[in-house]
Amino acid sequence: MKYLLTMLKVVCLLALTAPAFAQVHEVLMKNRGTAGPMVYEPDFLDIQPGDSVKFIRTHRSHNAASIAELSPEGYQGFIGKIDEEIEVKYDKPGLYGIKCSPHYAMGMVMLIKVGDAKLTDAYRNFKAPGVADKRLKAIFARMDAQ
Ligand SMILES: [Cu+2]
Protein backbone atom coordinates (compact mmCIF):
# COMPACT_ATOMS: atom_id res chain seq x y z
CA MET A 1 0.00 0.00 0.00
CA LYS A 2 2.78 2.37 0.93
CA TYR A 3 4.57 1.51 -2.29
CA LEU A 4 1.40 2.23 -4.23
CA LEU A 5 1.03 5.65 -2.61
CA THR A 6 4.65 6.48 -3.41
CA MET A 7 4.10 5.46 -7.00
CA LEU A 8 0.98 7.60 -7.15
CA LYS A 9 2.94 10.58 -5.87
CA VAL A 10 5.62 10.03 -8.49
CA VAL A 11 3.01 9.81 -11.24
CA CYS A 12 1.31 12.99 -10.04
CA LEU A 13 4.61 14.81 -9.85
CA LEU A 14 5.52 13.71 -13.37
CA ALA A 15 2.17 14.87 -14.68
CA LEU A 16 2.66 18.28 -13.12
CA THR A 17 6.23 18.84 -14.23
CA ALA A 18 6.06 17.31 -17.72
CA PRO A 19 6.06 19.83 -20.57
CA ALA A 20 2.82 20.26 -22.50
CA PHE A 21 2.39 17.30 -24.80
CA ALA A 22 2.19 17.82 -28.53
CA GLN A 23 -1.41 17.75 -29.64
CA VAL A 24 -3.16 16.26 -32.65
CA HIS A 25 -5.82 18.58 -34.06
CA GLU A 26 -8.56 17.08 -36.20
CA VAL A 27 -9.89 18.70 -39.35
CA LEU A 28 -12.94 17.31 -41.13
CA MET A 29 -13.04 17.24 -44.93
CA LYS A 30 -16.69 17.79 -45.84
CA ASN A 31 -18.98 18.17 -48.85
CA ARG A 32 -21.05 20.60 -46.85
CA GLY A 33 -20.54 22.41 -43.58
CA THR A 34 -21.87 25.43 -41.75
CA ALA A 35 -19.91 27.74 -44.09
CA GLY A 36 -21.37 26.14 -47.23
CA PRO A 37 -20.29 23.43 -49.68
CA MET A 38 -16.76 21.98 -49.83
CA VAL A 39 -15.18 22.94 -46.54
CA TYR A 40 -12.59 22.01 -43.99
CA GLU A 41 -13.91 22.21 -40.46
CA PRO A 42 -12.43 24.12 -38.78
CA ASP A 43 -10.96 26.35 -41.52
CA PHE A 44 -8.43 27.91 -39.15
CA LEU A 45 -6.18 26.38 -36.52
CA ASP A 46 -3.85 28.10 -34.08
CA ILE A 47 -1.41 25.41 -32.94
CA GLN A 48 1.98 25.06 -31.29
CA PRO A 49 5.21 23.89 -32.94
CA GLY A 50 5.40 20.11 -32.61
CA ASP A 51 1.62 19.71 -32.90
CA SER A 52 0.05 17.70 -35.72
CA VAL A 53 -3.05 18.12 -37.82
CA LYS A 54 -5.04 15.07 -38.85
CA PHE A 55 -7.25 15.43 -41.90
CA ILE A 56 -10.31 13.23 -41.43
CA ARG A 57 -12.18 11.71 -44.35
CA THR A 58 -15.72 12.77 -43.42
CA HIS A 59 -17.02 12.68 -46.99
CA ARG A 60 -15.43 11.20 -50.10
CA SER A 61 -13.30 12.70 -52.87
CA HIS A 62 -11.29 15.17 -50.82
CA ASN A 63 -7.64 15.56 -49.96
CA ALA A 64 -5.34 17.98 -48.19
CA ALA A 65 -2.37 19.60 -49.88
CA SER A 66 -0.10 22.56 -49.20
CA ILE A 67 -0.67 25.83 -50.99
CA ALA A 68 2.86 26.69 -52.12
CA GLU A 69 2.20 30.45 -52.20
CA LEU A 70 0.83 30.33 -48.67
CA SER A 71 3.71 28.49 -47.01
CA PRO A 72 6.80 29.66 -45.14
CA GLU A 73 10.02 29.99 -47.14
CA GLY A 74 11.76 26.71 -47.73
CA TYR A 75 8.77 24.59 -46.73
CA GLN A 76 8.64 21.40 -48.77
CA GLY A 77 4.91 20.93 -48.47
CA PHE A 78 2.82 17.81 -49.01
CA ILE A 79 0.07 16.48 -51.24
CA GLY A 80 -2.32 13.98 -49.68
CA LYS A 81 -4.00 11.43 -51.90
CA ILE A 82 -7.74 11.65 -52.51
CA ASP A 83 -9.64 9.98 -49.64
CA GLU A 84 -6.43 9.58 -47.69
CA GLU A 85 -6.44 10.42 -43.99
CA ILE A 86 -3.11 11.99 -43.24
CA GLU A 87 -1.50 13.40 -40.18
CA VAL A 88 0.90 16.28 -40.76
CA LYS A 89 3.34 17.45 -38.12
CA TYR A 90 4.24 21.14 -37.93
CA ASP A 91 7.58 21.91 -36.31
CA LYS A 92 8.31 25.38 -37.59
CA PRO A 93 6.34 28.52 -36.77
CA GLY A 94 4.56 30.07 -39.72
CA LEU A 95 1.32 30.23 -41.66
CA TYR A 96 0.42 27.20 -43.76
CA GLY A 97 -2.33 27.29 -46.38
CA ILE A 98 -4.14 24.04 -47.17
CA LYS A 99 -6.25 23.22 -50.20
CA CYS A 100 -8.30 20.33 -51.47
CA SER A 101 -6.86 19.69 -54.93
CA PRO A 102 -10.17 18.97 -56.77
CA HIS A 103 -12.16 21.65 -54.90
CA TYR A 104 -9.66 24.49 -54.60
CA ALA A 105 -11.62 26.91 -56.81
CA MET A 106 -14.83 25.91 -55.01
CA GLY A 107 -13.28 27.36 -51.88
CA MET A 108 -12.04 24.29 -50.04
CA VAL A 109 -9.14 25.92 -48.20
CA MET A 110 -7.94 26.46 -44.68
CA LEU A 111 -5.10 28.11 -42.81
CA ILE A 112 -2.91 26.74 -40.03
CA LYS A 113 -1.05 29.13 -37.77
CA VAL A 114 1.89 27.51 -36.03
CA GLY A 115 3.35 29.36 -33.07
CA ASP A 116 4.11 33.03 -33.49
CA ALA A 117 3.27 33.99 -37.05
CA LYS A 118 1.99 37.16 -38.66
CA LEU A 119 0.16 37.74 -41.92
CA THR A 120 2.49 39.32 -44.44
CA ASP A 121 1.70 41.24 -47.62
CA ALA A 122 2.70 38.18 -49.63
CA TYR A 123 -0.22 36.31 -48.03
CA ARG A 124 -2.64 39.21 -48.22
CA ASN A 125 -1.89 39.96 -51.88
CA PHE A 126 -2.01 36.37 -53.05
CA LYS A 127 -4.95 35.74 -55.37
CA ALA A 128 -6.41 32.27 -54.94
CA PRO A 129 -8.73 30.82 -57.58
CA GLY A 130 -12.51 31.27 -57.39
CA VAL A 131 -14.26 31.04 -54.06
CA ALA A 132 -10.96 30.14 -52.33
CA ASP A 133 -9.91 33.77 -52.50
CA LYS A 134 -13.05 34.98 -50.72
CA ARG A 135 -12.76 32.34 -48.02
CA LEU A 136 -9.05 33.00 -47.42
CA LYS A 137 -9.67 36.73 -47.11
CA ALA A 138 -12.44 35.98 -44.61
CA ILE A 139 -9.99 33.89 -42.56
CA PHE A 140 -7.44 36.75 -42.71
CA ALA A 141 -10.12 39.19 -41.51
CA ARG A 142 -10.93 36.94 -38.54
CA MET A 143 -7.21 36.76 -37.69
CA ASP A 144 -6.95 40.56 -37.85
CA ALA A 145 -9.95 40.91 -35.56
CA GLN A 146 -8.39 38.73 -32.85
CU1 LIG B 1 -12.56 18.57 -51.57
PDB file of all heavy atoms in Angstrom, residues 29-31 38-40 60-63 82 100-104 108, ligand 1:
ATOM      1  N   MET A  29     -12.946  16.889 -43.509  1.00  0.00           N
ATOM      2  CA  MET A  29     -13.039  17.239 -44.934  1.00  0.00           C
ATOM      3  C   MET A  29     -14.469  16.921 -45.364  1.00  0.00           C
ATOM      4  O   MET A  29     -14.861  15.751 -45.429  1.00  0.00           O
ATOM      5  CB  MET A  29     -12.020  16.433 -45.747  1.00  0.00           C
ATOM      6  CG  MET A  29     -10.583  16.624 -45.242  1.00  0.00           C
ATOM      7  SD  MET A  29      -9.313  15.923 -46.322  1.00  0.00           S
ATOM      8  CE  MET A  29      -9.395  14.167 -45.917  1.00  0.00           C
ATOM      9  N   LYS A  30     -15.256  17.980 -45.658  1.00  0.00           N
ATOM     10  CA  LYS A  30     -16.694  17.790 -45.838  1.00  0.00           C
ATOM     11  C   LYS A  30     -17.241  18.348 -47.154  1.00  0.00           C
ATOM     12  O   LYS A  30     -16.763  19.366 -47.655  1.00  0.00           O
ATOM     13  CB  LYS A  30     -17.442  18.475 -44.680  1.00  0.00           C
ATOM     14  CG  LYS A  30     -17.057  17.931 -43.314  1.00  0.00           C
ATOM     15  CD  LYS A  30     -17.693  18.737 -42.189  1.00  0.00           C
ATOM     16  CE  LYS A  30     -19.125  18.307 -41.968  1.00  0.00           C
ATOM     17  NZ  LYS A  30     -19.684  18.934 -40.742  1.00  0.00           N
ATOM     18  N   ASN A  31     -18.273  17.678 -47.661  1.00  0.00           N
ATOM     19  CA  ASN A  31     -18.982  18.167 -48.852  1.00  0.00           C
ATOM     20  C   ASN A  31     -19.783  19.413 -48.509  1.00  0.00           C
ATOM     21  O   ASN A  31     -19.984  20.279 -49.353  1.00  0.00           O
ATOM     22  CB  ASN A  31     -19.964  17.108 -49.362  1.00  0.00           C
ATOM     23  CG  ASN A  31     -19.261  15.923 -49.963  1.00  0.00           C
ATOM     24  OD1 ASN A  31     -18.044  15.938 -50.148  1.00  0.00           O
ATOM     25  ND2 ASN A  31     -20.009  14.878 -50.245  1.00  0.00           N
ATOM     26  N   MET A  38     -18.200  22.215 -49.702  1.00  0.00           N
ATOM     27  CA  MET A  38     -16.756  21.979 -49.834  1.00  0.00           C
ATOM     28  C   MET A  38     -15.942  22.771 -48.810  1.00  0.00           C
ATOM     29  O   MET A  38     -15.419  23.847 -49.094  1.00  0.00           O
ATOM     30  CB  MET A  38     -16.282  22.317 -51.259  1.00  0.00           C
ATOM     31  CG  MET A  38     -17.049  21.614 -52.344  1.00  0.00           C
ATOM     32  SD  MET A  38     -16.978  19.823 -52.140  1.00  0.00           S
ATOM     33  CE  MET A  38     -18.126  19.288 -53.412  1.00  0.00           C
ATOM     34  N   VAL A  39     -15.863  22.216 -47.621  1.00  0.00           N
ATOM     35  CA  VAL A  39     -15.178  22.937 -46.536  1.00  0.00           C
ATOM     36  C   VAL A  39     -14.305  22.008 -45.692  1.00  0.00           C
ATOM     37  O   VAL A  39     -14.530  20.802 -45.615  1.00  0.00           O
ATOM     38  CB  VAL A  39     -16.187  23.611 -45.570  1.00  0.00           C
ATOM     39  CG1 VAL A  39     -16.855  24.806 -46.222  1.00  0.00           C
ATOM     40  CG2 VAL A  39     -17.213  22.622 -45.056  1.00  0.00           C
ATOM     41  N   TYR A  40     -13.311  22.632 -45.093  1.00  0.00           N
ATOM     42  CA  TYR A  40     -12.591  22.008 -43.985  1.00  0.00           C
ATOM     43  C   TYR A  40     -13.209  22.576 -42.716  1.00  0.00           C
ATOM     44  O   TYR A  40     -13.489  23.784 -42.642  1.00  0.00           O
ATOM     45  CB  TYR A  40     -11.106  22.403 -44.007  1.00  0.00           C
ATOM     46  CG  TYR A  40     -10.313  21.847 -45.160  1.00  0.00           C
ATOM     47  CD1 TYR A  40      -9.906  22.671 -46.193  1.00  0.00           C
ATOM     48  CD2 TYR A  40      -9.943  20.497 -45.197  1.00  0.00           C
ATOM     49  CE1 TYR A  40      -9.159  22.178 -47.251  1.00  0.00           C
ATOM     50  CE2 TYR A  40      -9.199  20.000 -46.250  1.00  0.00           C
ATOM     51  CZ  TYR A  40      -8.803  20.843 -47.273  1.00  0.00           C
ATOM     52  OH  TYR A  40      -8.065  20.350 -48.315  1.00  0.00           O
ATOM     53  N   ARG A  60     -16.400  11.712 -49.125  1.00  0.00           N
ATOM     54  CA  ARG A  60     -15.434  11.199 -50.100  1.00  0.00           C
ATOM     55  C   ARG A  60     -14.945  12.263 -51.080  1.00  0.00           C
ATOM     56  O   ARG A  60     -15.539  13.322 -51.209  1.00  0.00           O
ATOM     57  CB  ARG A  60     -16.059  10.032 -50.866  1.00  0.00           C
ATOM     58  CG  ARG A  60     -16.350   8.851 -49.960  1.00  0.00           C
ATOM     59  CD  ARG A  60     -16.776   7.641 -50.749  1.00  0.00           C
ATOM     60  NE  ARG A  60     -15.694   7.198 -51.638  1.00  0.00           N
ATOM     61  CZ  ARG A  60     -15.678   6.028 -52.234  1.00  0.00           C
ATOM     62  NH1 ARG A  60     -16.657   5.177 -52.045  1.00  0.00           N
ATOM     63  NH2 ARG A  60     -14.681   5.674 -53.019  1.00  0.00           N
ATOM     64  N   SER A  61     -13.857  11.917 -51.759  1.00  0.00           N
ATOM     65  CA  SER A  61     -13.296  12.697 -52.873  1.00  0.00           C
ATOM     66  C   SER A  61     -12.565  13.976 -52.468  1.00  0.00           C
ATOM     67  O   SER A  61     -12.503  14.920 -53.242  1.00  0.00           O
ATOM     68  CB  SER A  61     -14.373  13.045 -53.918  1.00  0.00           C
ATOM     69  OG  SER A  61     -15.024  11.872 -54.324  1.00  0.00           O
ATOM     70  N   HIS A  62     -12.060  14.010 -51.247  1.00  0.00           N
ATOM     71  CA  HIS A  62     -11.287  15.172 -50.819  1.00  0.00           C
ATOM     72  C   HIS A  62      -9.853  14.758 -50.468  1.00  0.00           C
ATOM     73  O   HIS A  62      -9.584  13.592 -50.217  1.00  0.00           O
ATOM     74  CB  HIS A  62     -11.919  15.821 -49.577  1.00  0.00           C
ATOM     75  CG  HIS A  62     -13.332  16.226 -49.788  1.00  0.00           C
ATOM     76  ND1 HIS A  62     -13.699  17.265 -50.609  1.00  0.00           N
ATOM     77  CD2 HIS A  62     -14.492  15.708 -49.303  1.00  0.00           C
ATOM     78  CE1 HIS A  62     -15.021  17.379 -50.603  1.00  0.00           C
ATOM     79  NE2 HIS A  62     -15.529  16.445 -49.829  1.00  0.00           N
ATOM     80  N   ASN A  63      -8.985  15.773 -50.459  1.00  0.00           N
ATOM     81  CA  ASN A  63      -7.639  15.562 -49.956  1.00  0.00           C
ATOM     82  C   ASN A  63      -7.179  16.817 -49.248  1.00  0.00           C
ATOM     83  O   ASN A  63      -7.934  17.799 -49.128  1.00  0.00           O
ATOM     84  CB  ASN A  63      -6.674  15.165 -51.084  1.00  0.00           C
ATOM     85  CG  ASN A  63      -6.238  16.348 -51.924  1.00  0.00           C
ATOM     86  OD1 ASN A  63      -6.942  17.362 -51.997  1.00  0.00           O
ATOM     87  ND2 ASN A  63      -5.095  16.247 -52.554  1.00  0.00           N
ATOM     88  N   ILE A  82      -6.296  11.548 -52.673  1.00  0.00           N
ATOM     89  CA  ILE A  82      -7.744  11.649 -52.512  1.00  0.00           C
ATOM     90  C   ILE A  82      -8.218  10.534 -51.577  1.00  0.00           C
ATOM     91  O   ILE A  82      -7.800   9.381 -51.725  1.00  0.00           O
ATOM     92  CB  ILE A  82      -8.454  11.521 -53.883  1.00  0.00           C
ATOM     93  CG1 ILE A  82      -8.024  12.641 -54.832  1.00  0.00           C
ATOM     94  CG2 ILE A  82      -9.984  11.506 -53.713  1.00  0.00           C
ATOM     95  CD1 ILE A  82      -8.505  14.029 -54.464  1.00  0.00           C
ATOM     96  N   CYS A 100      -7.861  21.620 -50.937  1.00  0.00           N
ATOM     97  CA  CYS A 100      -8.295  20.333 -51.466  1.00  0.00           C
ATOM     98  C   CYS A 100      -8.057  20.437 -52.969  1.00  0.00           C
ATOM     99  O   CYS A 100      -8.605  21.340 -53.619  1.00  0.00           O
ATOM    100  CB  CYS A 100      -9.763  20.099 -51.146  1.00  0.00           C
ATOM    101  SG  CYS A 100     -10.445  18.668 -51.978  1.00  0.00           S
ATOM    102  N   SER A 101      -7.248  19.555 -53.516  1.00  0.00           N
ATOM    103  CA  SER A 101      -6.860  19.687 -54.931  1.00  0.00           C
ATOM    104  C   SER A 101      -8.058  19.781 -55.879  1.00  0.00           C
ATOM    105  O   SER A 101      -8.110  20.697 -56.695  1.00  0.00           O
ATOM    106  CB  SER A 101      -5.935  18.546 -55.335  1.00  0.00           C
ATOM    107  OG  SER A 101      -4.813  18.514 -54.474  1.00  0.00           O
ATOM    108  N   PRO A 102      -9.053  18.862 -55.816  1.00  0.00           N
ATOM    109  CA  PRO A 102     -10.170  18.974 -56.766  1.00  0.00           C
ATOM    110  C   PRO A 102     -11.137  20.123 -56.468  1.00  0.00           C
ATOM    111  O   PRO A 102     -11.887  20.529 -57.352  1.00  0.00           O
ATOM    112  CB  PRO A 102     -10.874  17.619 -56.662  1.00  0.00           C
ATOM    113  CG  PRO A 102     -10.435  17.021 -55.385  1.00  0.00           C
ATOM    114  CD  PRO A 102      -9.098  17.602 -55.058  1.00  0.00           C
ATOM    115  N   HIS A 103     -11.155  20.633 -55.252  1.00  0.00           N
ATOM    116  CA  HIS A 103     -12.164  21.646 -54.898  1.00  0.00           C
ATOM    117  C   HIS A 103     -11.559  22.984 -54.483  1.00  0.00           C
ATOM    118  O   HIS A 103     -12.183  23.750 -53.743  1.00  0.00           O
ATOM    119  CB  HIS A 103     -13.070  21.109 -53.772  1.00  0.00           C
ATOM    120  CG  HIS A 103     -13.699  19.798 -54.096  1.00  0.00           C
ATOM    121  ND1 HIS A 103     -13.539  18.670 -53.320  1.00  0.00           N
ATOM    122  CD2 HIS A 103     -14.470  19.436 -55.156  1.00  0.00           C
ATOM    123  CE1 HIS A 103     -14.194  17.656 -53.885  1.00  0.00           C
ATOM    124  NE2 HIS A 103     -14.764  18.094 -54.991  1.00  0.00           N
ATOM    125  N   TYR A 104     -10.358  23.236 -54.965  1.00  0.00           N
ATOM    126  CA  TYR A 104      -9.658  24.487 -54.604  1.00  0.00           C
ATOM    127  C   TYR A 104     -10.496  25.700 -55.016  1.00  0.00           C
ATOM    128  O   TYR A 104     -10.820  26.565 -54.194  1.00  0.00           O
ATOM    129  CB  TYR A 104      -8.301  24.496 -55.308  1.00  0.00           C
ATOM    130  CG  TYR A 104      -7.332  25.581 -54.898  1.00  0.00           C
ATOM    131  CD1 TYR A 104      -7.469  26.283 -53.708  1.00  0.00           C
ATOM    132  CD2 TYR A 104      -6.238  25.886 -55.717  1.00  0.00           C
ATOM    133  CE1 TYR A 104      -6.546  27.272 -53.349  1.00  0.00           C
ATOM    134  CE2 TYR A 104      -5.317  26.862 -55.365  1.00  0.00           C
ATOM    135  CZ  TYR A 104      -5.484  27.553 -54.185  1.00  0.00           C
ATOM    136  OH  TYR A 104      -4.578  28.521 -53.845  1.00  0.00           O
ATOM    137  N   MET A 108     -12.441  25.212 -51.107  1.00  0.00           N
ATOM    138  CA  MET A 108     -12.043  24.289 -50.041  1.00  0.00           C
ATOM    139  C   MET A 108     -10.595  24.566 -49.644  1.00  0.00           C
ATOM    140  O   MET A 108      -9.645  23.988 -50.183  1.00  0.00           O
ATOM    141  CB  MET A 108     -12.227  22.839 -50.489  1.00  0.00           C
ATOM    142  CG  MET A 108     -12.185  21.869 -49.323  1.00  0.00           C
ATOM    143  SD  MET A 108     -13.016  20.334 -49.705  1.00  0.00           S
ATOM    144  CE  MET A 108     -12.481  19.326 -48.326  1.00  0.00           C
TER     145      MET A 108
HETATM  146 CU    CU B   1     -12.557  18.572 -51.571  1.00  0.00          CU
END
